[in-house]
Amino acid sequence: MLDALSPLGGGINLVLILLSVATSALTAAVGVGGGVLMIMALAQVMPAAALIPVHGMVQLGSNAGRAAMTWRHVDRAVLAAFVPGAMLGALVAAWLLVRLPAGILELCIAAFVLYTCWGSGLPKRALGRVGVFVAGAITTLLSSLVGASGPLVAAFIKQGQAGRLASVATFSACMLLQHLTKAFVFGVAGFVFRDWLVLILIMVAAGFVGTWLGLRLLHRVTDHRFDFLFKWVLTLLAVRLTWLGVQRLLAA
């Protein structure tokens, strides 16, 4: 039965479903990290052509669940500015759909994340409507090209949010819309979702369970502890991106 879920084997399908629970719980509880862990795991077992579109659809469902459960905490002003930028980024990605030089992108994202975590913070102008619009466009473009721009979006969103629930809710709503654009981008590019649809739907349902578990933990975490965990998870992800970027630069 599990073998029929996707072109992958039954055992792998089961592991990915359980992983969807774990990564959704991580993002709900800590604010970020689940999407990157998911794409790292998918990259080990999934054909390259299916990696980014399948990851995007699974994360769309995961973020939809998180956004629905935390909707009253979403910063709607940020979301209203982010959406037009995301649409622009998706249109550019559909036209471009190529990768930047190996290693450069990872190093740029890592540098930005580390600066927002440990630097003096972004200027207020960058957190205004124009700044959010630009962030929506750039991160959506990057997400369509390399798969996981979550740390970049999370680092930007966190600068303008005071509480842990607002951070998670606004991040989830922005990522929901960003991943939604991937259906358009890869549909235009000719990717056939049908072969992977059943696995995607089951992983999305599993993600709802993980989100529920993670949000229960989030409500028990203080803002101070959340900020500490959020910053260090982002930092570890940025260190990993730096390592990958250096490896790819050297390989090239």
Side-chain angles (χ1 to χ4, degrees), residues 13-77:
N13 288 332
L14 178 60
V15 169
L16 292 180
I17 292 167
L18 296 176
L19 184 67
S20 183
V21 176
T23 55
S24 294
L26 173 65
T27 303
V30 181
V32 70
V36 175
L37 291 179
M38 176 64 75
I39 201 169
M40 288 171 58
L42 293 179
Q44 310 303 314
V45 298
M46 192 165 286
L51 176 60
I52 296 179
V54 170
H55 173 266
M57 295 305 97
V58 172
Q59 290 302 300
L60 186 157
S62 178
N63 282 284
R66 229 170 8 257
M69 294 180 193
T70 60
W71 180 249
R72 65 182 182 274
H73 299 285
V74 172
D75 187 330
R76 288 164 176 74

Side-chain angles (χ1 to χ4, degrees), residues 83-153:
V83 171
M87 294 174 64
L88 176 62
L91 290 172
V92 174
W95 172 72
L96 188 60
L97 207 58
V98 296
R99 289 185 179 270
L100 296 176
I104 299 297
L105 181 64
E106 288 86 351
L107 292 175
C108 290
I109 292 177
F112 178 84
V113 170
L114 289 173
Y115 173 76
T116 55
C117 285
W118 304 103
S120 57
L122 296 173
K124 290 185 177 180
R125 180 177 299 180
L127 300 174
R129 292 185 63 85
V130 174
V132 175
F133 172 86
V134 172
I138 293 175
T139 58
T140 300
L141 173 61
L142 297 182
S143 182
S144 296
L145 299 181
V146 300
S149 63
L152 186 59
V153 177

Side-chain angles (χ1 to χ4, degrees), residues 35 40 57 62 92 107 113 121 128 159 162 168 176 199 210 216 224 228 245 248-250:
M40 288 171 58
M57 295 305 97
S62 178
V92 174
L107 292 175
V113 170
Q159 292 288 311
V168 171
L176 162 64
L199 178 62
R216 286 177 64 87
H224 176 74
F228 176 84
R248 290 173 180 176
L249 280 176
L250 293 176

Side-chain angles (χ1 to χ4, degrees), residues 213-226:
L213 294 172
L215 287 176
R216 286 177 64 87
L217 178 60
L218 176 64
H219 283 287
R220 298 181 181 182
V221 177
T222 64
D223 282 340
H224 176 74
R225 179 62 60 84
F226 175 81

Side-chain angles (χ1 to χ4, degrees), residues 166-188:
S167 295
V168 171
T170 306
F171 170 73
S172 299
C174 288
M175 293 302 292
L176 162 64
L177 294 167
Q178 187 172 94
H179 286 301
L180 186 61
T181 66
K182 290 185 181 179
F184 164 75
V185 171
F186 289 97
V188 170

